[in-house]
Amino acid sequence: WTPFPPLGRRRGEERGSIIFSSGRRRDVALASSVAEAETRAMGKPPLPFTRVVGQDDMKLGLLLNVVDQRIGGLLVMGDRGTGKSVVVRALVDLLPEIDVVQGDSYNSSPTDVRLMGPDVQEKLKEGADLKTKKMK
């Protein structure tokens, strides 16, 4: 039993949805994550982002969020085995390391006020020295 059954689902067919921050919803066919589980169990590196077949709307939404953070995020929904986490993990491998404020739960930017959490903004106003660390 699920509280929100997928709409338009036929017997034997799995479907998922991507909801963009604008509220636009896009239904997509689901891929299997069996390969991901096998890869993780064998200790192999994750699947490269460019090797993911299908899920074009999800990949586009993620890439747009990387390019412009003002989009505000992307909510990816779908049944088990849709490849949601595979695509996100593969995208993280493409990103460069960035400087973040050490000990901040929001991973705030030490230089861009728009990308700072409230605690870091307050420390910056007080003139405190912000220690940084590199992370992906």
Side-chain angles (χ1 to χ4, degrees):
W1 178 81
T2 59
F4 304 104
L7 300 175
R9 187 173 176 179
R10 296 181 199 150
R11 187 178 184 106
E13 177 188 41
E14 293 190 27
R15 306 235 1 126
S17 297
I18 297 174
I19 299 180
F20 293 88
S21 60
S22 65
R24 191 178 126 233
R25 180 182 175 135
R26 177 75 185 239
D27 291 335
V28 294
L30 305 181
S32 172
S33 67
V34 173
E36 177 196 3
E38 290 173 354
T39 300
R40 214 178 312 134
M42 292 183 202
K44 293 181 183 176
L47 188 68
F49 188 76
T50 56
R51 296 280 313 263
V52 176
V53 178
Q55 308 290 8
D56 295 330
D57 287 337
M58 177 172 51
K59 292 191 299 187
L60 176 63
L62 289 168
L63 288 172
L64 289 173
N65 272 279
V66 168
V67 172
D68 187 2
Q69 295 89 9
R70 292 177 295 164
I71 291 173
L74 177 72
L75 175 63
V76 180
M77 295 174 28
D79 291 334
R80 204 170 127 203
T82 62
K84 301 176 297 284
S85 58
V86 172
V87 173
V88 172
R89 285 190 196 109
L91 180 65
V92 169
D93 289 340
L94 296 177
L95 299 175
E97 286 190 341
I98 59 170
D99 288 324
V100 297
V101 176
Q102 189 172 356
D104 182 50
S105 57
Y106 297 107
N107 295 327
S108 296
S109 167
T111 55
D112 190 352
V113 178
R114 295 177 303 139
L115 302 175
M116 289 182 184
D119 296 338
V120 174
Q121 287 180 357
E122 192 173 310
K123 286 180 185 177
L124 188 65
K125 286 178 185 175
E126 294 172 359
D129 185 35
L130 302 175
K131 295 182 181 182
T132 63
K133 66 177 183 175
K134 294 264 188 196
M135 76 173 296
K136 268 199 168 202

